[in-house]
């Protein structure tokens, strides 16, 4: 006769799958070694649990998105007439559409890369690629941003995926800040927008890369993993019983729905702020260099332009000093209202309210320094 059990079967202790437990851990410590609270070993759900949690939520979000698109098509006529009858609302709608349409192609590219990382890049591969020294990993990740032609919208889910797959948080955030600003597409756009000003291209590259390095090093020194908001149970896409294609599609779908939702919020905030600021308010700043630098840095946060298009906007502000416009180009891809919203949704509000202000200060200082050295006080 079987002996009665004294309690429920022992189960391995698990923590939320996406706690960035490697943020402060060097690669050689390994994820299976016990350590601080942020490095608790994680047991991934088996195939019998793989379809619970995130897929159901992602499916519901897909239905909501489909219903909203259908409602937009049905009421397109009345909405168009209502918007067209109000000049300020029409301007806000144009700005919202511009920000969103500019960002979506690069968001799609970003989530595709994120899905590919989830499907094909294991934590062991990342540990082999990234240097063991965290400071060196920040440098490698920052330079890796040169290879990704995308904007800040698409790189947010990529950075989160890198952390989920075992990359140090400091390296992931260096990549997050460098990729939108130092890739070839952005640099070519800057050269086209400022013909005859090669210093603008060099200063934008140097200021943006310095921002990424400094913020990565600051996070490695002062960052705390508890500032992150864990993702729900069942979010882990790489699990037994799933093919790589299924892992890719599930990860890409989840990240797109999440990032697109917060991109919408950020684009709406940028549109609302745009119509509240008079078009001629900055004309009196042409002879106030340091004030114009601060104002242009704040304007970059408010306008929330895509990094592939912001150089043309800055070029059109010909009444402002060139140095102030350079700061605008360095700050914009690093921190703006839509990026803050996306970071809050992806990493958590506790992270965003600390990371965004620090990034603003560092980007303003790095942009001003690089611009002063390579462009001059003009």
């Amino acid at each position: 006769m079987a002996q009665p059990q004294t309690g429920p079967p022992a189960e391995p202790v698990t923590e939320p799958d996406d706690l960035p437990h490697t943020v402060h851990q060097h690669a050689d410590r390994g994820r299976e070694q016990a350590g601080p609270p942020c490095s608790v070993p994680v047991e991934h759900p088996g195939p019998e649990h793989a379809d619970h949690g995130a897929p159901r939520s992602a499916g519901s979000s897909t239905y909501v998105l489909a219903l909203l698109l259908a409602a937009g098509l049905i009421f397109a006529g009345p909405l168009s007439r209502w918007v067209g009858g109000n000049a300020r609302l029409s301007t806000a709608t144009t700005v919202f559409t511009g920000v969103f349409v500019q960002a979506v192609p690069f968001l799609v590219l970003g989530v595709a890369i994120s899905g590919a990382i989830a499907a094909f890049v294991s934590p062991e591969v990342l540990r082999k690629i990234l240097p063991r020294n965290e400071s060196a990993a920040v440098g490698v990740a920052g330079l890796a941003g040169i290879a990704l032609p995308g904007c800040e919208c698409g790189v947010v889910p990529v950075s989160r995926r890198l952390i989920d797959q075992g990359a140090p948080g400091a390296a992931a955030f260096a990549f997050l800040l460098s990729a939108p600003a130092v890739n070839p597409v952005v640099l070519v756009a800057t050269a086209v927008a400022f013909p005859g000003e090669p210093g603008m291209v060099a200063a934008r590259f140097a200021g943006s890369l310095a921002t990424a390095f400094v913020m990565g090093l600051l996070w490695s020194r002062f960052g705390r993993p508890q500032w992150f908001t864990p993702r729900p149970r069942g979010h882990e896409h790489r699990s037994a019983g799933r093919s790589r294609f299924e892992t890719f599609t599930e990860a890409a779908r989840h990240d797109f729905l999440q990032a697109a939702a917060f991109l919408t919020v950020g684009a709406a905030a940028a549109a609302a702020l745009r119509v509240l600021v008079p078009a001629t308010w900055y004309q009196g700043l042409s002879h106030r260099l340091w004030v114009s630098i601060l104002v242009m840095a704040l304007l970059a946060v408010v306008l929330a332009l895509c990094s592939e298009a912001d150089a043309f906007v800055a070029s059109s502000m010909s009444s402002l000093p060139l140095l102030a416009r350079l700061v605008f180009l360095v700050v914009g891809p690093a921190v703006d209202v839509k990026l803050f919203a996306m970071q809050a949704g992806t990493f958590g509000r506790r992270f965003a309210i600390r990371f965004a202000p620090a990034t603003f200060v560092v980007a303003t200082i790095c942009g001003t320094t690089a611009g002063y050295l390579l462009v001059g006080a003009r």
Side-chain angles (χ1 to χ4, degrees):
M1 185 174 180
Q3 295 295 327
Q5 294 183 347
T6 59
E11 295 182 357
V13 178
T14 60
E15 294 290 336
D17 293 339
D18 63 328
L19 274 179
H21 45 272
T22 56
V23 171
H24 293 295
Q25 304 299 314
H26 295 294
D28 57 342
R29 294 187 183 178
R31 298 175 67 176
E32 61 279 331
Q33 177 183 349
C38 62
S39 61
V40 175
V42 176
E43 178 168 317
H44 301 302
E48 68 274 11
H49 301 295
D51 295 327
H52 297 319
R56 181 182 300 176
S57 174
S60 301
S61 301
T62 304
Y63 297 144
V64 171
L65 179 61
L67 288 174
L68 290 175
L69 291 175
L73 292 174
I74 294 172
F75 298 103
L79 286 173
S80 179
R81 289 190 294 270
W82 178 57
V83 171
N86 187 307
R88 292 167 66 88
L89 188 58
S90 179
T91 300
T93 303
T94 301
V95 172
F96 173 85
T97 304
V99 170
F100 195 86
V101 170
Q102 280 180 344
V104 163
F106 300 101
L107 178 60
V108 172
L109 174 63
V111 298
I113 295 172
S114 174
I117 293 173
F120 299 102
V121 181
S122 67
E124 292 74 16
V125 171
L126 284 176
R127 282 195 285 267
K128 292 178 181 179
I129 294 176
L130 292 175
R132 293 176 178 271
N133 182 277
E134 193 169 25
S135 298
V138 168
V140 171
L143 292 173
I146 300 173
L148 178 63
C151 76
E152 60 273 19
C153 307
V155 81
V156 171
V158 176
S159 300
R160 180 67 200 228
R161 182 65 56 202
L162 289 172
I163 294 176
D164 290 346
Q165 296 293 81
F173 297 139
F175 177 80
L176 182 150
L177 295 173
S178 69
V182 301
N183 68 72
V185 176
V186 170
L187 297 179
V188 169
T190 305
V192 172
F194 291 91
E197 293 288 351
M200 287 292 288
V201 180
R204 182 173 195 180
F205 178 85
S208 299
L209 200 59
T211 300
F213 289 159
V214 171
M215 285 303 300
L217 294 175
L218 286 176
W219 176 266
S220 67
R221 176 65 179 84
F222 301 106
R224 297 292 181 268
Q226 57 265 32
W227 293 344
F228 288 95
T229 297
R231 288 180 177 175
R233 284 290 300 170
H235 173 74
E236 179 64 37
H237 301 295
R238 177 192 289 269
S239 59
R242 280 186 180 171
S243 68
R244 286 183 173 180
F245 178 76
E246 290 172 331
T247 300
F248 168 80
T249 55
E250 173 57 32
R253 180 179 67 165
H254 177 278
D255 289 347
F256 177 80
L257 290 173
Q258 182 186 59
F262 287 94
L263 171 61
T264 302
V265 174
L273 291 170
R274 177 68 175 268
V275 298
L276 297 176
V277 178
T280 59
W281 68 275
Y282 55 83
Q283 292 180 353
L285 299 174
S286 56
H287 301 295
R288 296 181 172 183
L289 178 62
W290 301 110
V291 176
S292 66
I293 289 174
L294 179 59
V295 169
M296 287 298 286
L298 292 171
L299 186 62
V301 175
V302 171
L303 292 184
L305 298 174
C306 185
S307 58
E308 275 74 19
D310 58 1
F312 299 97
V313 175
S315 178
S316 67
M317 301 176 183
S318 56
S319 61
L320 291 176
L322 204 60
L323 179 56
R325 288 183 280 170
L326 185 277
V327 172
F328 175 86
L329 298 180
V330 173
V331 172
V335 55
D336 59 38
V337 291
K338 75 175 186 298
L339 186 57
F340 176 82
M342 294 178 69
Q343 289 178 352
T346 303
F347 299 107
R349 286 184 300 173
R350 288 181 297 174
F351 167 82
I353 62 177
R354 292 171 172 84
F355 190 79
T359 303
F360 175 80
V361 173
V362 171
T364 302
I365 294 174
C366 290
T368 302
T369 303
Y372 187 81
L373 295 175
L374 298 173
V375 176
R378 58 190 179 97

